Amino acid sequence: HHGRVHCQGNARRSQAYFQLESAESTDQLSALMGLVRLEDQRRILNLYGEALAGRPLSLVASPDLENPDSEDQGLTGLEIVLPKTCGKFDTVQGNVEFYKVALLHQLGYQTFHTLRYLKKIERTLSGYHDHLRARTLFNVLEGARIDWQWPQRLAGTEAQLKRLKRHACATLAASGFIAPTPSAFQWVLLLSL
């Protein structure tokens, strides 16, 4: 219906619209899918982050659209790495909430002093025989600690965190990542969620 009204009988315009070659059609499809773009939310997320941090932040779009990995990008506390788009949830509200929680989570590394001790943490982790596994386990546990800290400091974040963690657990279960008899690491991961 939107396409017919927008194109008003123009054959070239209709063809571009219904073949998803026009900006109007891709924007409409994104809106229907609940897709949210970082650029569209940048101002509100910047204000939200600056209010919490007490200083300006830089929001950086991750080259990996769905899975920004702040550990691989080098946590500095000055840059918050977020995906360019988010469509994990069916609604715009759910995807905007994802952005806010991702921002909170990364900001937590600064706020709750992980970054202050990062060099010491890295030295300790590098002493383990399986450095990668030790780092992964640390990241899961530290992420859980940060997510636990926010509701203590900022009322209203607990419900958002719980919704996203339930979604993450369901996604892990549906993906087959969690074995019928979970390994010790899988138990730690599930408990952290």
Side-chain angles (χ1 to χ4, degrees):
H1 175 72
H2 179 269
R4 285 187 300 149
V5 170
H6 174 73
C7 297
Q8 300 174 354
N10 182 312
R12 284 183 60 208
R13 197 176 203 185
S14 294
Q15 185 177 6
Y17 184 92
F18 290 106
Q19 289 180 346
L20 296 176
E21 294 172 350
S22 74
E24 180 69 24
S25 64
T26 56
D27 287 348
Q28 179 67 15
L29 184 60
S30 294
L32 290 172
M33 293 173 54
L35 187 74
V36 174
R37 292 180 181 86
L38 176 59
E39 283 309 311
D40 297 340
Q41 300 298 319
R42 185 175 292 278
R43 178 162 166 65
I44 195 79
L45 291 170
N46 265 326
L47 292 171
Y48 182 66
E50 287 179 21
L52 293 169
R55 61 180 167 70
L57 298 175
S58 174
L59 300 183
V60 177
S62 170
D64 182 343
L65 297 181
E66 287 295 321
N67 299 305
D69 191 346
S70 54
E71 286 85 9
D72 290 342
Q73 308 243 352
L75 283 170
T76 65
L78 302 175
E79 293 182 341
I80 302 294
V81 182
L82 297 170
K84 291 178 186 176
T85 60
C86 181
K88 293 178 182 288
F89 299 90
D90 295 335
T91 66
V92 169
Q93 179 183 354
N95 290 315
V96 169
E97 186 172 84
F98 169 83
Y99 273 127
K100 286 182 177 179
V101 170
L103 186 151
L104 272 180
H105 186 76
Q106 290 182 52
L107 188 57
Y109 287 96
Q110 175 75 32
T111 305
F112 303 118
H113 311 298
T114 309
L115 295 179
R116 179 183 295 172
Y117 301 106
L118 195 56
K119 287 181 182 174
K120 182 177 180 180
I121 292 166
E122 283 296 328
R123 274 195 313 271
T124 302
L125 293 175
S126 67
Y128 284 89
H129 174 70
D130 191 343
H131 171 73
L132 181 60
R133 185 176 299 220
R135 187 172 194 214
T136 300
L137 185 57
F138 172 79
N139 287 338
V140 168
L141 294 173
E142 184 63 2
R145 183 184 77 86
I146 287 167
D147 291 346
W148 175 81
Q149 291 278 354
W150 277 119
Q152 314 305 313
R153 173 151 318 167
L154 187 61
T157 58
E158 186 171 17
Q160 290 177 330
L161 285 163
K162 280 184 179 180
R163 275 192 295 276
L164 289 178
K165 287 180 178 216
R166 276 195 304 272
H167 182 268
C169 282
T171 300
L172 283 174
S175 72
F177 178 78
I178 304 297
T181 305
S183 68
F185 176 76
Q186 290 174 333
W187 272 115
V188 168
L189 181 61
L190 288 171
L191 288 172
S192 74
L193 292 174

